[in-house]
Amino acid sequence: VRDKGNASCRFMRATAYQVPSQPQLTARARVPLAVICCPFAEQLPTEDAIVVVDERPDGPVRCTNCRAFTNPFFTWLSQCRRGKCNLCEHTFEVPLDYQCDLDKANQRTDKLYRQELCRGVVDHPAPAAYTQDYNPAAPAALFAIDVS
């Protein structure tokens, strides 16, 4: 599987591949929807290595509302001075060092050079400011069993 903007199904897999588009159908079908996440899934030798993106000292650019990381599905506005999150649709100011020109299709001209904008899976190391006051909790386990 080549990563062209979507994560491999071994990293993230939906329990349903087709979701009803109308609320009435959703209520009638009663199909449970979940996403199974395996962030440390083993890679096959034929797959590209996971790229580490550590270009900014302040850490990766994130949505100021929901804290989502920039990804191939963000929208860029106002000559890339503003970004729009694909998860919460919040519009936010883009840091100066992350701005660039947009082409005629409103796509970033550096999209193919920024791995976080053209791959579904990248690794973002936590910046020093995030980890300096961080006291990790003890590991926990969660077991969910659906018996419906």
Side-chain angles (χ1 to χ4, degrees):
V1 176
R2 295 223 32 132
D3 185 347
K4 295 181 181 178
N6 288 314
S8 165
C9 60
R10 283 183 295 107
F11 291 108
M12 296 183 81
R13 181 183 295 263
T15 57
Y17 288 107
Q18 295 187 357
V19 180
S21 61
Q22 298 175 351
Q24 299 87 0
L25 290 173
T26 304
R28 212 173 330 143
R30 301 178 76 179
V31 175
L33 178 64
V35 176
I36 301 166
C37 298
C38 300
F40 301 109
E42 189 174 329
Q43 286 189 271
L44 298 175
T46 57
E47 291 181 326
D48 294 337
I50 296 175
V51 178
V52 177
V53 178
D54 190 17
E55 297 176 3
R56 300 184 68 245
D58 298 340
V61 175
R62 300 174 77 175
C63 172
T64 55
N65 185 48
C66 71
R67 306 298 294 155
F69 292 96
T70 53
N71 62 67
F73 304 103
F74 266 44
T75 306
W76 306 100
L77 312 163
S78 304
Q79 281 306 100
C80 210
R81 289 189 294 275
R82 300 184 62 70
K84 185 175 180 182
C85 178
N86 64 308
L87 300 178
C88 71
E89 297 187 352
H90 176 72
T91 303
F92 61 94
E93 294 291 326
V94 176
L96 282 173
D97 65 329
Y98 202 73
Q99 294 178 8
C100 77
D101 293 327
L102 299 177
D103 62 15
K104 292 178 183 177
N106 278 341
Q107 296 290 316
R108 293 177 62 107
T109 55
D110 67 349
K111 184 175 184 172
L112 297 177
Y113 304 108
R114 292 200 177 269
Q115 296 298 308
E116 69 271 21
L117 299 178
C118 61
R119 289 175 160 250
V121 178
V122 295
D123 188 9
H124 292 284
Y130 178 79
T131 57
Q132 69 186 7
D133 295 326
Y134 179 66
N135 295 320
L142 170 70
F143 297 95
I145 301 172
D146 182 10
V147 293
S148 59

